[in-house]
Amino acid sequence: EPEVTQTPSHQVTQMGQEVILRCVPISNHLYFYWYRQILGQKVEFLVSFYNNEISEKSEIFDDQFSVERPDGSNFTLKIRSTKLEDSAMYFCASRGDGRNSPLHFGNGTRLTVT
Amino acid sequence: AQSVTQLDSQVPVFEEAPVELRCNYSSSVSVYLFWYVQYPNQGLQLLLKYLSGSTLVKGINGFEAEFNKSQTSFHLRKPSVHISDTAEYFCAVSSYNQGGKLIFGQGTELSVKP
């Protein structure tokens, strides 16, 4: 069964540094998402992306965050200047066309900001 | 706006016992409902979904859930749990007009003991 893949599985960075989290969605999917889960808390929506543009973003997704689909397969989340509170598990998800297509999630990237 | 409440943060049960994980939602529009499971150090895996039709939906690993519109609930059940069901379970909702964005509950940690 096709999977959403995320790299790296674990990223450690220093406060103030830029990080790029990478995702390869399922190949025929059209809608892409980033979620995050701070340790011990609920999974929170960050941003959705369709047709090469952001379709919705949450309050968390401020100017420090950006997303890009640089080619036909990758979907990236960039954090320009990381803060300690950005430490979390970041999940990428994708879904196919149709309102009721479920989201398929990757295994996540654990970001640790020191 | 939608919200999801999972009433139990932790549910300890013995192996082969039945279990119910509770989920209530609020929404002013019609919704789709989902249960996802997260095994340790893994991503989110879809257990089951309610889109329309029969209010009792069956998912993977012997789980089922019942949509109750009058009580705005979508409780997850399994008649006999296994040690391998130990995981975090998330209830989620999306609305017809929100482009597939999921709103998650806080999660319920199911711990199955021998």
Side-chain angles (χ1 to χ4, degrees):
Chain A
E1 184 176 337
E3 293 181 341
V4 175
T5 56
Q6 291 185 243
T7 55
S9 57
H10 191 186
Q11 174 90 46
V12 181
T13 189
Q14 289 188 330
M15 194 168 51
Q17 295 296 305
E18 174 183 287
V19 293
I20 298 177
L21 309 183
R22 302 182 189 281
C23 170
V24 179
I26 294 173
S27 62
N28 62 346
H29 283 184
L30 302 175
Y31 298 83
F32 313 114
Y33 306 81
W34 282 102
Y35 285 78
R36 81 171 184 190
Q37 184 184 27
I38 295 172
L39 187 64
Q41 299 185 24
K42 67 167 66 178
V43 179
E44 301 172 291
F45 168 77
L46 290 179
V47 65
S48 58
F49 190 88
Y50 171 72
N51 200 25
N52 286 320
E53 61 183 25
I54 291 173
S55 45
E56 187 177 354
K57 59 183 180 180
S58 71
E59 292 177 352
I60 304 167
F61 196 88
D62 61 22
D63 292 343
Q64 294 298 313
F65 291 88
S66 63
V67 289
E68 192 178 30
R69 188 157 164 79
D71 52 43
S73 60
N74 290 283
F75 179 52
T76 61
L77 174 69
K78 181 192 292 186
I79 309 175
R80 289 190 183 81
S81 178
T82 51
K83 304 184 286 290
L84 293 177
E85 53 265 37
D86 293 326
S87 295
M89 182 74 93
Y90 288 81
F91 292 106
C92 174
S94 69
R95 72 176 181 92
D97 205 358
R99 289 179 181 273
N100 56 13
S101 298
L103 268 63
H104 294 259
F105 286 84
N107 282 343
T109 293
R110 181 170 297 284
L111 176 65
T112 302
V113 182
T114 62
Chain B
Q2 293 86 38
S3 67
V4 179
T5 301
Q6 292 181 244
L7 298 167
D8 307 298
S9 59
Q10 293 181 322
V11 174
V13 294
F14 287 107
E15 193 173 19
E16 298 183 7
V19 71
E20 178 180 84
L21 306 184
R22 295 180 293 170
C23 172
N24 287 88
Y25 70 93
S26 67
S27 176
S28 57
V29 298
S30 297
V31 295
Y32 301 123
L33 294 157
F34 305 83
W35 275 98
Y36 282 83
V37 59
Q38 184 181 29
Y39 297 105
N41 301 313
Q42 294 189 28
L44 296 162
Q45 181 182 1
L46 180 66
L47 262 183
L48 49 77
K49 61 187 178 188
Y50 171 79
L51 305 176
S52 64
S54 173
T55 57
L56 182 65
V57 291
K58 295 187 183 298
I60 61 172
N61 302 339
F63 283 93
E64 63 181 31
E66 185 156 21
F67 170 56
N68 188 320
K69 188 173 182 179
S70 62
Q71 296 186 0
T72 60
S73 68
F74 191 55
H75 302 330
L76 181 70
R77 302 186 184 99
K78 186 169 182 178
S80 176
V81 294
H82 302 289
I83 299 286
S84 59
D85 292 323
T86 295
E88 188 93 15
Y89 291 80
F90 293 93
C91 182
V93 63
S94 72
S95 67
Y96 292 171
N97 60 354
Q98 279 206 317
K101 182 184 83 173
L102 288 175
I103 303 298
F104 284 89
Q106 300 91 325
T108 297
E109 184 182 338
L110 176 64
S111 176
V112 182
K113 304 180 186 306

